[in-house]
Amino acid sequence: MIIYDKAGNILLDIEVDDTSVRYKAIKGENSLTLKFSLAEHVEVPLGSYCVFKGETYSLMMPEDLTMNHRRSFEYTLVMYSEDAKAKRIVFINPVDGRVKFSFTAKPAEHLQMFVDNMNMRDAGWSVGECPDHVEITLSYNSTKCHDALVQLADELELDYWFNGKVVNIGKLELNKD
């Protein structure tokens, strides 16, 4: 596994333990837990990232480090996909900056507001699939972007998912065969 720093330079090229795991759930967490050992200490800064199965996972919390001996360091890195950033960003009305407001619109407009909020802090977000539906009213009160998306999906009784920085809402069916 290759781990890069924020600038895209290779920080580590390591062999991870068999206990490393990716956890990915529909309407849920998408994380990668890497466990490995090194003979010397290496600082893995926040913002470091790796690419696994075409998805980018970033380090958003400090690594868990255990020193067994002065030449034996065990690391546990929990890295998150791009959509985890939505759990940290407050959903605001892009027109006037209010955090407490109601919005009546079609789902595509609600989803576009989510994308606009994400792009204010982290460029590159876009709308993917979204059903055509009647207008709905949702109320927000210091809501995080992730919670706003969950609220929209629950109101429509649909799933949401991410493909990198593309957010989708609809019925997600995998492995139907």
Side-chain angles (χ1 to χ4, degrees):
M1 180 72 62
I2 299 174
I3 298 175
Y4 302 91
D5 64 13
K6 287 182 188 178
N9 301 314
I10 295 176
L11 184 64
L12 292 169
D13 188 354
I14 52 162
E15 180 106 9
V16 296
D17 294 348
D18 290 340
T19 56
S20 297
V21 63
R22 175 174 82 160
Y23 180 75
K24 187 174 183 177
I26 296 171
K27 292 175 75 172
E29 186 175 322
N30 185 2
S31 65
L32 181 66
T33 302
L34 303 178
K35 296 184 179 191
F36 57 94
S37 298
L38 296 175
E40 59 188 33
H41 178 261
V42 175
E43 186 69 31
V44 183
L46 297 180
S48 298
Y49 67 94
C50 69
V51 178
F52 181 73
K53 293 195 175 189
E55 285 190 74
T56 301
Y57 293 87
S58 301
L59 186 64
M60 296 181 184
M61 296 180 300
E63 78 270 9
D64 183 12
L65 173 64
T66 304
M67 184 174 123
N68 294 327
H69 186 272
R70 58 175 222 225
R71 301 255 321 132
S72 176
F73 296 87
E74 290 182 7
Y75 291 82
T76 301
L77 300 180
V78 180
M79 305 177 104
Y80 295 92
S81 60
E82 295 288 340
D83 57 276
K85 295 173 184 173
K87 293 180 180 178
R88 297 177 154 186
I89 297 173
V90 176
F91 195 75
I92 64 170
N93 185 332
V95 175
D96 57 17
R98 289 181 297 148
V99 294
K100 184 176 181 179
F101 64 99
S102 293
F103 185 59
T104 302
K106 292 192 172 220
E109 294 172 77
H110 283 277
L111 196 56
Q112 184 61 53
M113 187 181 290
F114 170 88
V115 167
D116 293 343
N117 270 271
M118 294 301 293
N119 280 327
M120 281 186 233
R121 283 100 167 173
D122 182 42
W125 289 87
S126 62
V127 173
E129 292 180 31
C130 187
D132 188 28
H133 195 275
V134 297
E135 290 184 345
I136 57 173
T137 300
L138 296 177
S139 296
Y140 306 103
N141 185 4
S142 299
T143 307
K144 299 291 186 184
C145 286
H146 177 266
D147 296 331
L149 183 61
V150 169
Q151 185 179 352
L152 175 60
D154 288 349
E155 179 71 24
L156 298 171
E157 297 179 355
L158 295 173
D159 301 318
Y160 68 87
W161 67 98
F162 296 88
N163 294 327
K165 290 186 173 184
V166 178
V167 61
N168 303 275
I169 287 188
K171 282 287 183 195
L172 183 61
E173 296 178 339
L174 300 172
N175 304 320
K176 290 192 312 185
D177 299 336

